[in-house]
Structures are given as structure tokens and as C-alpha cells.
Amino acid sequence: MAKIIAIANQKGGVGKTTTAINLAGAFAEQGFRVLCVDMDAQANLSVGLGVDVTRIDKSMAQVLTDATVRLRDVIVVTETPGIEVAPATLDLASTEVELLSTIGREYALAEAIDDWARARYDYVFIDCPPTLGLLTINGLVASDGVIIPVQTQYYALKGLTGLVKVITTIRAKLNRNLRVLGLLPTFYDPRTKLGRDMLEEMREHGENHVFDTIIRSAVRLGEAPLTGRPITEYASQSEAANNYRDLAREVIALG
């Protein structure tokens, strides 16, 4: 049965999509079957894995709101062996409003990830949008665990409070199996005192596990999405690629 992991943080620009794409690449490289679910109307995950969203007729928007469209109907096979995508389009921007009047609206994604999907894949990574709205809540309700990328800057760390409260509420009322797998330090620059201080504060004063793996700022991480491939394929020998391999090993060890 698939392990379902959400990548979430209500702050934009912290590396959620980068983490989803490259962690998927690290798992696929090991022979795991991976599905990436794009829950962000910006569709950066879809584009970053080589999907031409202008040619997509049905996407996650229809999966969440149209009972006749199943998850398997929208899945796209990528050029990276082992990775498939349930893409997003701009249609997803109006989905949240449509879901508001739906009974059981928080469970739309959980129901969409059916027995077929759970049997087909080893890991499902859900790229949540940079909000604490209904789409992110759907991603968390559907998941077994959540990885929270946190940029090693002051405001990024302070912004965790709202997300942690939402996760606590979801765990109490909607998904008792949800657990925070860990905070993932991203865009780390060891040359700056701020970066070092924020990493130390994250590790010493946080209530949640912090991954040993640190994702440093790297030019190649920004280049990889332009090729439609994870960093593990685009720059296989790079430090960034090895970082995501290390992260994959940590996630596996957490069970």
C-alpha cells in the first residue's frame, strides 16, 4: 500500500515543489513507483516534471469536483522512469470555492486516492499550495505524513505556528494518522550568521523533528525544472542530488 506524504507550508518560496519533485526523483531512482499529485493551481510541479499543462483536458480540478473523473483518468507518465503525475491546471483555482458547498469537502482528495492508486504506487507525494485553505487541508487529510520545508530565515520560521495549529486540528478531528515527519531546512547558506542561527533555533527549540538533511541554495536546483526532470537525473552527481537521496533515506527510516 502506498505511503502518502504531503509537502506543505503556507509560506510560498520555501521549496515545497522543489522538494516534491526531487524527493520523487530520489525514490524513483531506487526503483520505487511514485505518483506526484499537484494541488497548486500554479502547476509548477506538473511543469517541473515535463508536463505540458496547455494540453491537459482533465486535471486534479475535475478529480476533486466531478464524480465521473477518477484519479487514474488524469495521470500523466513522465520521462523520468518510475514517476507519474496527477497534474494541475488553472482550473484548480476555482475548485476551492466549489468544494466549500460540498458535503465532506475535506475528504475529496482522500477519496480520490482509491485502492487502485494505493496498490499501484509505493509513494504518493502531494504538493500543497502556499495557503492554509481547503486544498491544503485536503492534502493533509489524505496523507500519512507531512514534510514541512522551512527556509532558514527569521520570518519563515515564525510562520510555522499557523501550519502547526492546522495540523494539530486535523490530527484531532479529521485524520488521526497524520504525523509530522519533520521540518526540512531549505535554501540554507552556511556563510550567513542568520542562516546558522535559524538552523540552530529550529533544531533546539522546535517541538517537531528536524531532518538531518539540509537543502542548500544551489543554481542547479533552479535549472532542473527547465528540463522537466528531477535533480537526480539532471545533475546526478551534484551535492543537491545527493541531499535529496539522503532525505529519501531519512524518510524511509522514519517508516
Side-chain angles (χ1 to χ4, degrees), residues 181-185 199 202-203 206 208-213 250:
L181 297 180
L183 309 182
L184 174 66
L199 181 60
M202 196 186 306
R203 286 178 167 166
N208 294 295
H209 169 72
V210 179
F211 287 105
D212 292 331
T213 301
E250 283 198 69

Side-chain angles (χ1 to χ4, degrees), residues 28-231:
E29 188 179 61
Q30 295 185 51
F32 292 105
R33 300 164 299 171
V34 180
L35 174 66
C36 291
V37 177
D38 197 342
M39 289 289 281
D40 189 346
Q42 296 179 77
N44 289 332
L45 177 138
S46 303
V47 173
L49 283 170
V51 177
D52 183 354
V53 295
T54 63
R55 296 176 178 268
I56 298 296
D57 295 323
K58 295 178 181 178
S59 68
M60 284 306 301
Q62 286 72 42
V63 172
L64 296 172
T65 59
D66 186 342
T68 67
V69 179
R70 296 174 297 178
L71 186 63
R72 70 187 75 177
D73 298 329
V74 306
I75 287 172
V76 176
V77 177
T78 73
E79 293 184 2
T80 302
I83 300 179
E84 298 181 356
V85 180
T89 63
L90 280 175
D91 291 343
L92 198 56
S94 61
T95 299
E96 198 154 17
V97 176
E98 293 183 50
L99 285 175
L100 285 173
S101 59
T102 304
I103 295 174
R105 54 188 178 268
E106 299 93 348
Y107 295 95
L109 180 59
E111 292 173 356
I113 303 175
D114 55 16
D115 291 343
W116 174 87
R118 290 175 182 273
R120 179 177 176 85
Y121 303 103
D122 299 302
Y123 285 88
V124 177
F125 294 109
I126 302 170
D127 186 26
C128 297
T131 69
L132 291 181
L134 197 47
L135 293 179
T136 294
I137 290 171
N138 261 266
L140 295 171
V141 170
S143 298
D144 304 305
V146 54
I147 293 172
I148 306 173
V150 183
Q151 196 169 1
T152 47
Q153 294 184 359
Y154 179 78
Y155 288 115
L157 202 55
K158 291 297 181 183
L160 277 176
T161 306
L163 177 59
V164 171
K165 284 183 178 178
V166 168
I167 290 172
T168 301
T169 301
I170 288 173
R171 194 158 43 204
K173 298 184 177 182
L174 298 170
N175 179 7
R176 296 186 183 278
N177 296 321
L178 179 66
R179 64 180 178 131
V180 177
L181 297 180
L183 309 182
L184 174 66
T186 60
F187 297 104
Y188 177 64
D189 187 345
R191 298 170 299 178
T192 67
K193 184 177 185 302
L194 177 62
R196 296 193 300 272
D197 288 349
M198 289 301 99
L199 181 60
E200 183 178 356
E201 182 177 341
M202 196 186 306
R203 286 178 167 166
E204 290 186 358
H205 303 294
E207 296 179 358
N208 294 295
H209 169 72
V210 179
F211 287 105
D212 292 331
T213 301
I214 299 170
I215 308 300
R216 303 192 181 202
S217 299
V219 172
R220 290 196 168 185
L221 275 178
E223 294 173 346
L226 301 176
T227 69
R229 295 180 294 162
I231 191 72

